Amino acid sequence: MAIRRIEADVVVLGGGSAGTFAAIKAKNANPKARVVVLDKGPIETSGAIGRGMDALNIVSVPGYGTPEDVVEALTKVSEGILDQDLAYTLGQGTYGVIKDLEDYTGREPGDLFPVDENGNYKCNYLHPTNKPLYLAMDGEDIKRALAREVRKLGCTVLDRTPVVRLFTEDGKVTGVFAFNIRTGQHYLISAPAVIITSGCVGKFGMPRDGYLSGIYEFPGNTGEGFSLAYHAGAELVNMECFQTNLLMKDFNGPACGYVVIPRGGYGINALGEKYWSHGYWSGDMFLAVWKEFMEGRGPVYLKLDHLPEETIQGLEKILWGTERTVRGQFHKQRNENYRCWDSVEQGMEEITLCSGHSMSGIFVNKNTETTVKGLFAAGDCAAVPQQYLPGAFVFGGIAGRAAAEYAATAKAPKLKVDVDNLWKEIRAPLDRPDGLPVDQVETKIRTKISQYITPPKSDPLMQKMLWWIERMRREDVPNIKVRDYHDMIKATEVQSIIDCAEMATKASLFRTESRWGLSHYRLAYPARDPKWDGKYCVVKKNLDTNEMELSSKDVQKYKWDYPNRLEYDYPEMKHDLGKGFTHPPNDFNDPWIVEKVDREGMDIPKRMFVKKED
């Protein structure tokens, strides 16, 4: 199959929330720009909001909040590790995003978003500050609307065609390599500007139900953006701040506390007691959930039964319609009813890496520029702490405009790629006559991640994780066998997960303190250390030695003096078991086994084998 070569101005990796906004705004900025969007799935349904979404979790709109209120909230939940320019830019951009979404979907104010009696978009309280920054949304159709706008503007869309290589020369981006996961058609695309919007590392730890794909994250979000940026020499930060998911037990999907809590719901333990002061997904809340289980008051539940009947019905419509449609069936088969206090059991599920709900990702400035020339990043893979869906839209749009402007003046790159050898290398798992099933290797690395680096983090366990990473790269990855192009991308995904595991583990060992509640609760350093205040932990690949390097650098000086920590303390771990029983010492020199070794040697004894008379 011959390779297809494409010359582009802007390439967008990932057609999710940030990617579609990036493509639209790039075309708006320069209608003549050749914009190419690549995604693992069809862009109508791919990404975190492929099924729809129920809210914009952080906005500033007239009558309710200001950009400074967004800065205040994010300064607090990020515990002092924040570029406040990013937060202010997010707050500034959200109103425009609301109007864009109404325009793309053709829906009026009051339909897609609620409005109050004054005509303002009506916000609710959710964040651990006294400002209403949460805006509900009835957005089951927004992803299709965004995809429609991308195609209408004339972008080239390559569905089911993920990027597997990102090229640079002299520190500048030059292009990408991709292949179609159904046909194997492969593409070499040259471009001076590339935008990574390929989502979080949703497949990272192993879900307790044992399934490799759940319905919380888009199954294609396996960290390729993190990995591609790393191998291009870009800086990544906050990789030690894990997202410790509190999901609906056995469903492996969202419990949707953010739908329920702004309407009066709250979390309770097995005794029916409210276990924490707020329901925002910050590290202190996850630490509180962990404590409930450690002290024997788990499981925990999302309580709805006290709400008015009309509110419960409204929540059922959102949770079973706008959100995951299988949820209603899940409850029905278990005979669960939201009018009972224990109908929504929650569990601490697998850890992930994500900036949208947490903080980790590719380092960017407010213009979405990374530390590699021509490389931009937005959405869940770009380190804008707790930006959620509004951040994906705001910074996706900024990335599109910035990339289009950069491409208009940048010199067209000349790609120097040995395509035949590259394609041979990528398809090696398909051409190999036999080997390890890729699902088996994915299960192995994700199980190790859950076992060895899930918080609270243990130093010896994290060191053992690094041993496993090196061993799997040497023994497992080179022996993966796949049977078609669809599974061939899984081989790349496994390598991305391993890359992310190494970055997360080494960053966790580098930051010698605990911070962000459970997200970086390190048993060897069970408290915040002031010396880490205002310090990023930076992960970067040395392109000369190919070694991973870690360093710290200062967070940008604060412009606003807001509280920079949440109201919690790390627990004192005391597990005194008493002195225990001690038997008399044995003789370390056992003449019986020494004599056996001398007499039989180390071969398997012949008496182990079946004799003819047996």
Side-chain angles (χ1 to χ4, degrees):
M1 183 180 296
I3 189 168
R4 281 191 60 191
R5 297 175 185 269
I6 298 176
E7 292 185 359
D9 297 303
V10 178
V11 171
V12 183
L13 278 60
S17 312
T20 49
F21 249 72
I24 292 168
K25 298 303 181 184
K27 270 293 191 182
N28 289 161
N30 181 5
K32 294 182 179 179
R34 298 164 296 178
V35 178
V36 179
V37 182
L38 303 103
D39 198 283
K40 287 181 179 176
I43 65 169
E44 280 72 14
T45 54
S46 64
I49 63 167
R51 177 57 197 91
M53 193 47 61
D54 52 58
L56 298 181
N57 289 342
I58 184 161
V59 299
S60 69
V61 296
Y64 287 89
T66 65
E68 287 83 358
D69 295 335
V70 172
V71 177
E72 179 184 358
L74 295 190
T75 300
K76 186 174 185 181
V77 299
S78 65
E79 298 200 4
I81 313 298
L82 174 72
D83 176 353
Q84 288 188 327
D85 275 346
L86 288 172
Y88 188 80
T89 302
L90 170 60
Q92 269 189 319
T94 50
Y95 187 76
V97 161
I98 292 167
K99 305 310 290 184
D100 279 341
L101 291 173
E102 288 179 337
D103 181 29
Y104 301 150
T105 57
R107 296 171 68 178
E108 298 293 326
D111 180 18
L112 184 58
F113 302 103
V115 295
D116 64 15
E117 63 277 8
N118 298 314
N120 293 320
Y121 294 102
K122 186 179 185 304
C123 292
N124 289 70
Y125 295 96
L126 174 66
H127 302 76
T129 59
N130 294 322
K131 307 292 170 51
L133 304 173
Y134 168 94
L135 179 62
M137 177 171 66
D138 182 21
E140 75 278 1
D141 60 337
I142 59 173
K143 190 63 202 304
R144 287 173 173 79
L146 290 170
R148 187 167 58 244
E149 190 71 13
V150 169
R151 295 186 192 277
K152 186 179 77 176
L153 290 171
C155 299
T156 299
V157 179
L158 299 177
D159 290 325
R160 301 186 180 88
T161 308
V163 169
V164 291
R165 291 290 188 278
L166 170 64
F167 305 115
T168 60
E169 186 173 331
D170 298 329
K172 298 180 182 178
V173 163
T174 55
V176 301
F177 185 89
F179 71 90
N180 186 288
I181 60 175
R182 291 197 173 175
T183 66
Q185 176 66 60
H186 39 296
Y187 299 83
L188 185 65
I189 306 174
S190 62
V194 171
I195 307 171
I196 300 181
T197 63
S198 49
C200 67
V201 195
K203 281 188 168 184
F204 194 54
M206 188 70 186
R208 295 185 184 185
D209 61 15
Y211 291 106
L212 290 176
S213 295
I215 56 172
Y216 178 66
E217 296 285 4
F218 177 63
N221 286 350
T222 50
E224 271 88 332
F226 290 65
S227 182
L228 289 168
Y230 168 74
H231 287 294
E235 291 182 353
L236 292 95
V237 296
N238 305 330
M239 294 296 286
E240 68 278 22
C241 183
F242 298 175
Q243 182 178 339
T244 48
N245 289 318
L246 180 63
L247 304 183
M248 199 159 82
K249 185 76 169 54
D250 302 328
F251 184 60
N252 200 16
C256 292
Y258 281 7
V259 179
V260 176
I261 290 168
R263 295 171 171 94
Y266 54 88
I268 57 173
N269 61 23
L271 306 179
E273 302 163 338
K274 188 175 182 179
Y275 58 77
W276 194 235
S277 58
H278 65 86
Y280 185 75
W281 267 42
S282 42
D284 58 329
M285 192 275 281
F286 293 125
L287 190 63
V289 173
W290 172 82
K291 179 173 178 286
E292 292 303 307
F293 280 93
M294 290 301 100
E295 295 183 349
R297 294 187 293 274
V300 297
Y301 301 91
L302 190 59
K303 189 175 188 306
L304 298 81
D305 64 308
H306 60 289
L307 300 176
E309 175 60 26
E310 56 270 28
T311 299
I312 293 177
Q313 289 183 16
L315 291 171
E316 288 174 337
K317 174 178 171 56
I318 296 170
L319 298 176
W320 303 351
T322 305
E323 276 285 345
R324 279 59 168 173
T325 50
V326 295
R327 179 167 176 159
Q329 187 69 11
F330 176 85
H331 287 306
K332 182 179 179 181
Q333 292 181 343
R334 292 184 166 212
N335 197 27
E336 292 173 338
N337 190 317
Y338 292 167
R339 292 146 192 87
C340 299
W341 70 277
D342 58 351
S343 58
V344 184
E345 181 185 349
Q346 296 175 285
M348 300 295 290
E349 291 296 332
E350 74 273 20
I351 55 172
T352 57
L353 301 172
C354 176
S355 74
H357 292 67
S358 182
M359 294 179 56
S360 49
I362 306 162
F363 181 80
V364 292
N365 61 19
K366 66 179 181 181
N367 296 318
T368 69
E369 296 166 315
T370 73
T371 52
V372 175
K373 197 74 173 175
L375 183 63
F376 303 80
D380 282 345
C381 66
V384 181
Q386 313 233 0
Q387 59 179 309
Y388 291 97
L389 183 56
F393 291 146
V394 169
F395 290 103
I398 292 173
R401 288 189 290 269
E405 291 169 4
Y406 174 81
T409 57
K411 188 178 179 181
K414 296 293 183 183
L415 278 175
K416 301 173 184 176
V417 180
D418 184 342
V419 174
D420 291 338
N421 274 336
L422 176 59
W423 183 231
K424 183 179 179 182
E425 174 191 328
I426 292 169
R427 60 172 292 143
L430 184 62
D431 295 335
R432 194 168 287 132
D434 51 43
L436 301 171
V438 68
D439 287 352
Q440 181 175 307
V441 181
E442 182 185 333
T443 300
K444 183 174 180 179
I445 181 61
R446 294 178 65 189
T447 301
K448 301 303 178 193
I449 288 170
S450 286
Q451 291 174 342
Y452 289 104
I453 64 173
T454 295
K457 301 176 184 177
S458 153
D459 283 23
L461 290 177
M462 289 194 287
Q463 294 290 356
K464 192 68 179 179
M465 183 70 216
L466 295 176
W467 180 85
W468 271 111
I469 288 170
E470 191 277 333
R471 183 178 177 187
M472 288 193 67
R473 281 189 176 134
R474 185 179 67 247
E475 298 179 1
D476 297 77
V477 172
N479 292 304
I480 291 175
K481 167 63 182 173
V482 301
R483 300 189 181 281
D484 54 33
Y485 293 116
H486 180 268
D487 276 7
M488 207 164 85
I489 191 59
K490 292 184 179 179
T492 299
E493 291 175 347
V494 165
Q495 294 180 59
S496 297
I497 294 170
I498 293 175
D499 285 344
C500 292
E502 183 180 8
M503 287 189 274
T505 305
K506 288 185 174 178
S508 295
L509 288 165
F510 190 77
R511 182 177 282 276
T512 51
E513 66 159 357
S514 290
R515 191 175 290 252
W516 310 301
L518 188 63
S519 301
H520 181 61
Y521 180 14
R522 185 172 171 184
L523 296 174
Y525 301 90
R528 282 168 48 123
D529 186 338
K531 79 176 184 183
W532 278 101
D533 288 345
K535 296 283 186 185
Y536 289 117
C537 170
V538 181
V539 181
K540 184 180 179 181
K541 181 178 181 178
N542 184 321
L543 298 181
D544 295 323
T545 65
N546 289 328
E547 295 295 321
M548 185 176 292
E549 294 182 345
L550 289 102
S551 61
S552 66
K553 72 174 182 181
D554 293 338
V555 172
Q556 290 77 356
K557 187 177 180 181
Y558 275 13
K559 296 179 180 177
W560 293 271
D561 184 22
Y562 292 125
N564 62 4
R565 69 159 300 176
L566 292 151
E567 295 86 356
Y568 73 97
D569 293 307
Y570 281 101
E572 292 184 21
M573 300 282 276
K574 293 181 179 178
H575 301 294
D576 187 359
L577 301 181
K579 66 179 182 179
F581 172 77
T582 304
H583 56 66
N586 289 309
D587 188 351
F588 290 175
N589 187 6
D590 186 344
W592 182 66
I593 62 168
V594 170
E595 186 277 330
K596 274 185 167 296
V597 172
D598 289 343
R599 173 164 43 87
E600 299 180 355
M602 295 301 291
D603 293 338
I604 297 174
K606 292 182 179 178
R607 57 181 174 270
M608 285 288 294
F609 299 97
V610 177
K611 298 176 183 177
K612 288 184 178 179
E613 54 271 27
D614 294 335

